[in-house]
Amino acid sequence: MLLCLAASMQLWRSRLGRMMYSMANCLLMMKDYVLAIDMYHSVIQYQPEQEPQLLSGIGRLLLQIGDIKTAEQYFQEVEQISPKLGNELQQNVIIQMNRAFLHLGQNNFAEAHKFFTEVTKLDPSNPVANNNAAVCLLYLGKLKDSLRQLEGLVQQDPKHYLHESVLFNLTTMYELESSRSTQKKQSLLESVACREGDSFNIQCLKLL
């Protein structure tokens, strides 16, 4: 009886944690960053095993709103508690990603690129690291290298890289690189039409 009760309690705590996580994401979409951060903190109480990921998410959110100092404090805390993840590869990936995003927030694109590249060595299929590594190359004035890297990713692994944020970056590079950008965008649209549903937001291709 006690075992059944404990299992039920654990189940409902997990459900509550997922519900609160969804609420936090909704607040984030509404740009209510203060309440979103509070809600993410509350989720940790119900999903303590996710604490490194949740604190990393809060730190990256703080970078987006320009609070670099507080973000750095969160990232430092993540490095201290990362053994909770229990997986050395996962620990290294999350730490290197946080360092990369911190440098990105500081406009230190060379260092950011270095850390994003380290992540791609640990996890070659990581779409966030690959996409951001290419963006860093763009900011470093290496448009052709950046374009080559992003185009290669989309062609080699469309399942992961025919994504709105990746395609937005790629079409922006096309506009910077060539007067034939419209033709290249239309080619991307054809690839999207073959693989994605009607819900795909084609505005990321900037065809209008």
Side-chain angles (χ1 to χ4, degrees):
M1 182 68 178
L2 289 175
L3 287 175
C4 289
L5 180 60
S8 296
M9 289 290 292
Q10 181 60 36
L11 174 64
W12 283 103
R13 284 178 64 87
S14 176
R15 288 178 175 173
L16 179 58
R18 291 197 297 271
M19 182 187 72
M20 294 175 74
Y21 185 76
S22 296
M23 291 171 62
N25 288 340
C26 289
L27 289 166
L28 184 59
M29 291 177 65
M30 295 164 59
K31 298 186 178 180
D32 193 335
Y33 301 118
V34 175
L35 279 180
I37 289 171
D38 287 343
M39 188 64 70
Y40 286 128
H41 274 291
S42 298
V43 174
I44 294 172
Q45 299 175 31
Y46 298 95
Q47 297 182 343
E49 71 282 359
Q50 298 292 320
E51 186 175 12
Q53 293 94 327
L54 289 165
L55 292 181
S56 294
I58 293 172
R60 295 172 194 179
L61 172 56
L62 288 165
L63 286 177
Q64 291 182 44
I65 60 177
D67 191 349
I68 294 174
K69 183 176 180 180
T70 308
E72 186 173 10
Q73 293 171 357
Y74 272 91
F75 292 155
Q76 289 171 351
E77 184 176 354
V78 170
E79 295 199 19
Q80 293 171 2
I81 65 171
S82 63
K84 282 187 178 183
L85 293 167
N87 181 308
E88 188 174 352
L89 174 60
Q90 195 177 5
Q91 290 177 43
N92 287 334
V93 167
I94 201 168
I95 288 171
Q96 300 295 340
M97 284 287 282
N98 287 343
R99 291 176 179 175
F101 278 117
L102 182 62
H103 285 296
L104 198 60
Q106 296 168 332
N107 294 327
N108 189 344
F109 301 111
E111 284 298 303
H113 180 263
K114 182 181 78 172
F115 283 108
F116 282 128
T117 301
E118 286 300 316
V119 175
T120 63
K121 292 176 182 176
L122 296 168
D123 181 11
S125 63
N126 190 306
V128 177
N130 278 303
N131 182 37
N132 280 285
V135 171
C136 286
L137 287 174
L138 176 62
Y139 280 107
L140 290 169
K142 300 178 180 180
L143 174 59
K144 290 191 180 298
D145 291 339
S146 177
L147 188 55
R148 190 181 305 113
Q149 180 172 334
L150 216 51
E151 270 188 331
L153 293 169
V154 171
Q155 291 168 3
Q156 293 166 22
D157 192 359
K159 180 180 178 181
H160 284 100
Y161 292 99
L162 279 178
H163 185 275
E164 292 173 16
S165 61
V166 175
L167 295 181
F168 179 85
N169 290 336
L170 185 53
T171 53
T172 300
M173 292 176 193
Y174 283 153
E175 291 173 349
L176 294 170
E177 182 252 356
S178 171
S179 59
R180 296 177 56 249
S181 63
T182 301
Q183 293 170 287
K184 294 185 177 183
K185 291 177 187 179
Q186 289 173 339
S187 177
L188 285 177
L189 179 60
E190 292 173 6
S191 298
V192 168
C194 292
R195 297 176 179 274
E196 303 294 333
D198 294 338
S199 62
F200 191 89
N201 182 11
I202 63 169
Q203 290 183 357
C204 67
L205 298 175
K206 300 195 288 183
L207 284 164
L208 299 178

